[in-house]
Short mmCIF file of all heavy atoms in Angstrom, two decimals:
data_model
loop_
_atom_site.label_atom_id
_atom_site.label_comp_id
_atom_site.label_asym_id
_atom_site.label_seq_id
_atom_site.Cartn_x
_atom_site.Cartn_y
_atom_site.Cartn_z
N GLU A 80 -0.28 -6.13 -6.64
CA GLU A 80 0.57 -6.53 -5.49
C GLU A 80 0.07 -7.77 -4.81
O GLU A 80 0.69 -8.68 -4.47
CB GLU A 80 0.71 -5.31 -4.54
CG GLU A 80 1.88 -5.48 -3.60
CD GLU A 80 1.81 -4.45 -2.44
OE1 GLU A 80 1.35 -3.30 -2.73
OE2 GLU A 80 2.26 -4.70 -1.26
N SER A 81 -1.31 -7.61 -4.57
CA SER A 81 -1.99 -8.78 -3.87
C SER A 81 -1.78 -10.00 -4.67
O SER A 81 -1.60 -11.07 -4.05
CB SER A 81 -3.44 -8.28 -3.59
OG SER A 81 -4.18 -9.45 -3.39
N ALA A 82 -2.03 -9.96 -5.97
CA ALA A 82 -1.77 -11.14 -6.80
C ALA A 82 -0.40 -11.57 -6.72
O ALA A 82 -0.13 -12.86 -6.67
CB ALA A 82 -2.18 -10.76 -8.24
N GLY A 83 0.60 -10.65 -6.70
CA GLY A 83 1.96 -11.05 -6.60
C GLY A 83 2.39 -11.73 -5.38
O GLY A 83 3.41 -12.60 -5.41
N GLU A 84 1.67 -11.47 -4.27
CA GLU A 84 2.04 -12.13 -2.98
C GLU A 84 1.52 -13.50 -2.91
O GLU A 84 1.93 -14.23 -1.96
CB GLU A 84 1.43 -11.31 -1.86
CG GLU A 84 2.11 -9.97 -1.61
CD GLU A 84 1.36 -9.10 -0.63
OE1 GLU A 84 0.24 -9.42 -0.28
OE2 GLU A 84 1.86 -8.01 -0.28
N ARG A 85 0.71 -13.86 -3.84
CA ARG A 85 0.06 -15.24 -3.75
C ARG A 85 0.86 -16.16 -4.65
O ARG A 85 1.64 -15.72 -5.43
CB ARG A 85 -1.46 -15.18 -4.05
CG ARG A 85 -2.15 -14.24 -3.07
CD ARG A 85 -3.63 -14.25 -3.61
NE ARG A 85 -4.29 -13.28 -2.78
CZ ARG A 85 -4.69 -13.39 -1.47
NH1 ARG A 85 -4.41 -14.64 -0.86
NH2 ARG A 85 -5.30 -12.44 -0.85
N GLY A 86 0.48 -17.38 -4.58
CA GLY A 86 1.20 -18.40 -5.45
C GLY A 86 0.73 -19.83 -5.04
O GLY A 86 -0.23 -19.98 -4.29
N GLY A 87 1.40 -20.77 -5.63
CA GLY A 87 1.08 -22.15 -5.35
C GLY A 87 -0.22 -22.60 -5.97
O GLY A 87 -0.86 -21.95 -6.80
N GLY A 88 -0.69 -23.75 -5.60
CA GLY A 88 -1.78 -24.40 -6.17
C GLY A 88 -3.07 -23.55 -5.95
O GLY A 88 -4.00 -23.56 -6.77
N GLU A 89 -3.15 -22.92 -4.86
CA GLU A 89 -4.40 -22.21 -4.45
C GLU A 89 -4.43 -20.74 -4.62
O GLU A 89 -5.37 -20.08 -4.47
CB GLU A 89 -4.84 -22.59 -3.00
CG GLU A 89 -5.03 -24.08 -2.73
CD GLU A 89 -6.16 -24.53 -3.59
OE1 GLU A 89 -7.25 -23.98 -3.68
OE2 GLU A 89 -6.03 -25.76 -4.14
N GLY A 90 -3.26 -20.12 -5.05
CA GLY A 90 -3.17 -18.67 -5.14
C GLY A 90 -4.23 -18.20 -6.04
O GLY A 90 -4.78 -17.07 -5.65
N LEU A 91 -4.46 -18.70 -7.19
CA LEU A 91 -5.45 -18.09 -8.07
C LEU A 91 -6.82 -18.13 -7.46
O LEU A 91 -7.50 -17.17 -7.55
CB LEU A 91 -5.49 -18.93 -9.39
CG LEU A 91 -6.43 -18.47 -10.46
CD1 LEU A 91 -6.17 -17.15 -10.93
CD2 LEU A 91 -6.54 -19.50 -11.66
N PHE A 92 -7.10 -19.15 -6.81
CA PHE A 92 -8.50 -19.24 -6.18
C PHE A 92 -8.58 -18.27 -5.02
O PHE A 92 -9.63 -17.61 -4.89
CB PHE A 92 -8.74 -20.67 -5.63
CG PHE A 92 -8.76 -21.77 -6.69
CD1 PHE A 92 -7.90 -22.84 -6.63
CD2 PHE A 92 -9.49 -21.66 -7.84
CE1 PHE A 92 -7.83 -23.89 -7.59
CE2 PHE A 92 -9.47 -22.60 -8.78
CZ PHE A 92 -8.67 -23.78 -8.72
N GLU A 93 -7.56 -18.10 -4.33
CA GLU A 93 -7.60 -17.17 -3.23
C GLU A 93 -7.73 -15.69 -3.67
O GLU A 93 -8.52 -14.91 -3.23
CB GLU A 93 -6.21 -17.15 -2.44
CG GLU A 93 -6.05 -18.41 -1.54
CD GLU A 93 -4.62 -18.57 -1.09
OE1 GLU A 93 -3.87 -17.50 -1.25
OE2 GLU A 93 -4.28 -19.62 -0.59
N PHE A 94 -7.08 -15.40 -4.82
CA PHE A 94 -7.07 -14.08 -5.37
C PHE A 94 -8.57 -13.78 -5.90
O PHE A 94 -9.10 -12.70 -5.69
CB PHE A 94 -6.03 -13.98 -6.57
CG PHE A 94 -6.10 -12.61 -7.21
CD1 PHE A 94 -5.67 -11.41 -6.44
CD2 PHE A 94 -6.51 -12.41 -8.49
CE1 PHE A 94 -5.70 -10.15 -7.02
CE2 PHE A 94 -6.58 -11.12 -9.10
CZ PHE A 94 -6.17 -10.08 -8.38
N PHE A 95 -9.05 -14.74 -6.54
CA PHE A 95 -10.40 -14.64 -7.13
C PHE A 95 -11.42 -14.36 -6.00
O PHE A 95 -12.23 -13.47 -5.99
CB PHE A 95 -10.76 -16.05 -7.76
CG PHE A 95 -11.42 -16.04 -9.03
CD1 PHE A 95 -10.78 -16.48 -10.14
CD2 PHE A 95 -12.74 -15.47 -9.14
CE1 PHE A 95 -11.41 -16.47 -11.41
CE2 PHE A 95 -13.36 -15.41 -10.44
CZ PHE A 95 -12.70 -16.02 -11.51
N THR A 96 -11.25 -15.04 -4.90
CA THR A 96 -12.10 -14.94 -3.72
C THR A 96 -11.97 -13.57 -3.10
O THR A 96 -13.00 -12.94 -2.82
CB THR A 96 -11.81 -16.05 -2.65
OG1 THR A 96 -11.90 -17.34 -3.29
CG2 THR A 96 -12.75 -15.95 -1.45
N GLU A 97 -10.75 -13.17 -2.93
CA GLU A 97 -10.60 -11.87 -2.39
C GLU A 97 -11.22 -10.78 -3.26
O GLU A 97 -11.79 -9.87 -2.64
CB GLU A 97 -8.99 -11.61 -2.35
CG GLU A 97 -8.68 -10.29 -1.58
CD GLU A 97 -7.33 -9.73 -2.00
OE1 GLU A 97 -6.51 -10.35 -2.76
OE2 GLU A 97 -7.02 -8.60 -1.51
N LEU A 98 -10.87 -10.77 -4.49
CA LEU A 98 -11.37 -9.73 -5.33
C LEU A 98 -12.95 -9.68 -5.26
O LEU A 98 -13.54 -8.60 -5.21
CB LEU A 98 -10.88 -10.02 -6.78
CG LEU A 98 -11.29 -8.89 -7.76
CD1 LEU A 98 -10.86 -7.52 -7.27
CD2 LEU A 98 -10.55 -9.11 -9.07
N THR A 99 -13.53 -10.78 -5.27
CA THR A 99 -14.99 -10.92 -5.38
C THR A 99 -15.55 -10.28 -4.00
O THR A 99 -16.52 -9.62 -3.99
CB THR A 99 -15.48 -12.32 -5.45
OG1 THR A 99 -14.92 -12.90 -6.61
CG2 THR A 99 -16.88 -12.44 -5.70
N ALA A 100 -14.90 -10.74 -2.95
CA ALA A 100 -15.39 -10.13 -1.63
C ALA A 100 -15.24 -8.71 -1.52
O ALA A 100 -15.94 -7.99 -0.84
CB ALA A 100 -14.58 -10.87 -0.46
N GLN A 101 -14.13 -8.20 -2.07
CA GLN A 101 -13.88 -6.73 -2.01
C GLN A 101 -14.80 -5.95 -2.98
O GLN A 101 -14.89 -4.68 -2.75
CB GLN A 101 -12.39 -6.41 -2.29
CG GLN A 101 -11.46 -6.81 -1.15
CD GLN A 101 -10.16 -6.28 -1.40
OE1 GLN A 101 -9.80 -5.69 -2.41
NE2 GLN A 101 -9.28 -6.33 -0.33
N ALA A 102 -15.35 -6.65 -3.87
CA ALA A 102 -16.07 -5.88 -4.98
C ALA A 102 -17.00 -4.86 -4.41
O ALA A 102 -17.09 -3.68 -4.86
CB ALA A 102 -16.79 -6.81 -5.84
N SER A 103 -17.70 -5.18 -3.36
CA SER A 103 -18.73 -4.36 -2.77
C SER A 103 -18.20 -2.95 -2.28
O SER A 103 -18.91 -2.03 -2.33
CB SER A 103 -19.48 -5.02 -1.65
OG SER A 103 -18.59 -5.43 -0.66
N TYR A 104 -16.94 -2.81 -2.00
CA TYR A 104 -16.46 -1.58 -1.60
C TYR A 104 -15.34 -1.10 -2.52
O TYR A 104 -14.58 -0.22 -2.14
CB TYR A 104 -16.01 -1.44 -0.09
CG TYR A 104 -14.99 -2.41 0.32
CD1 TYR A 104 -13.63 -1.89 0.40
CD2 TYR A 104 -15.27 -3.72 0.76
CE1 TYR A 104 -12.64 -2.82 0.82
CE2 TYR A 104 -14.28 -4.57 1.17
CZ TYR A 104 -12.93 -4.07 1.24
OH TYR A 104 -11.99 -4.85 1.63
N LYS A 105 -15.33 -1.68 -3.65
CA LYS A 105 -14.24 -1.21 -4.58
C LYS A 105 -14.95 -1.00 -6.00
O LYS A 105 -14.39 -1.49 -6.94
CB LYS A 105 -13.11 -2.24 -4.67
CG LYS A 105 -12.30 -2.26 -3.38
CD LYS A 105 -10.96 -1.43 -3.48
CE LYS A 105 -10.42 -1.18 -2.09
NZ LYS A 105 -9.11 -1.79 -1.95
N ARG A 106 -15.96 -0.22 -5.92
CA ARG A 106 -16.79 -0.09 -7.14
C ARG A 106 -15.96 0.41 -8.34
O ARG A 106 -16.20 0.11 -9.39
CB ARG A 106 -17.86 0.94 -6.93
CG ARG A 106 -18.98 0.38 -6.00
CD ARG A 106 -20.03 1.43 -5.82
NE ARG A 106 -21.15 0.68 -5.04
CZ ARG A 106 -22.15 0.25 -5.63
NH1 ARG A 106 -22.36 0.34 -6.97
NH2 ARG A 106 -23.07 -0.43 -4.98
N THR A 107 -14.97 1.24 -7.98
CA THR A 107 -14.15 1.87 -9.01
C THR A 107 -13.39 1.00 -9.87
O THR A 107 -13.33 0.95 -10.98
CB THR A 107 -13.30 3.00 -8.41
OG1 THR A 107 -14.02 3.70 -7.48
CG2 THR A 107 -12.81 3.89 -9.46
N VAL A 108 -12.62 0.10 -9.05
CA VAL A 108 -11.75 -0.86 -9.68
C VAL A 108 -12.55 -1.69 -10.59
O VAL A 108 -12.17 -1.93 -11.78
CB VAL A 108 -11.09 -1.89 -8.73
CG1 VAL A 108 -9.71 -2.26 -9.33
CG2 VAL A 108 -10.98 -1.16 -7.38
N VAL A 109 -13.64 -2.20 -10.12
CA VAL A 109 -14.53 -3.07 -10.97
C VAL A 109 -14.85 -2.37 -12.24
O VAL A 109 -14.83 -2.88 -13.36
CB VAL A 109 -15.82 -3.50 -10.20
CG1 VAL A 109 -16.60 -4.35 -11.07
CG2 VAL A 109 -15.41 -4.24 -8.93
N GLY A 110 -15.33 -1.03 -12.06
CA GLY A 110 -15.77 -0.36 -13.24
C GLY A 110 -14.51 -0.29 -14.29
O GLY A 110 -14.75 -0.37 -15.56
#
Side-chain angles (χ1 to χ4, degrees):
Chain A
E80 195 190 328
S81 158
E84 284 167 356
R85 303 180 186 282
E89 299 300 317
L91 179 64
F92 299 127
E93 289 166 13
F94 180 65
F95 226 114
T96 305
E97 182 205 357
L98 186 53
T99 308
Q101 287 195 347
S103 54
Y104 60 96
K105 294 261 164 116
R106 291 179 171 264
T107 316
V108 208
V109 177

